[in-house]
Amino acid sequence: YIGKGDVKVYGGLSRTQIKTILVNKGSLIIGVYANQAFLDYSSGVFTGCPIDAANFINHAVLLVGYDDSTSSWLVKNQWGTNWG
């Protein structure tokens, strides 16, 4: 369901541009490559993205923020409390 509001499609944005959109517009739906490392993720900062992950996007998550102390994106997944 897509409710009322702005719907924009972004692509090829810099880290700074994405952070600015998060601050000004709120959470973003993003595509990720849910490879085996992603499926096996259990906690902490996920570092299992292959360099060519953008070519294999197969899952959507909600980008909710950025952690400057670890230079990491903060995302929510809908797979329930047993994942991550």
Side-chain angles (χ1 to χ4, degrees), residues 21-51:
I21 292 168
L22 281 171
V23 169
N24 294 327
K25 296 289 187 179
S27 302
L28 300 167
I29 298 169
I30 61 168
V32 298
Y33 176 33
N35 61 2
Q36 192 60 50
F38 190 85
L39 298 173
D40 294 339
Y41 169 74
S42 61
S43 67
V45 176
F46 178 72
T47 59
C49 292
I51 195 74

Side-chain angles (χ1 to χ4, degrees), residues 1-8 10 25:
Y1 173 80
I2 298 177
K4 293 181 180 179
D6 291 338
V7 176
K8 304 239 187 264
Y10 300 100
K25 296 289 187 179

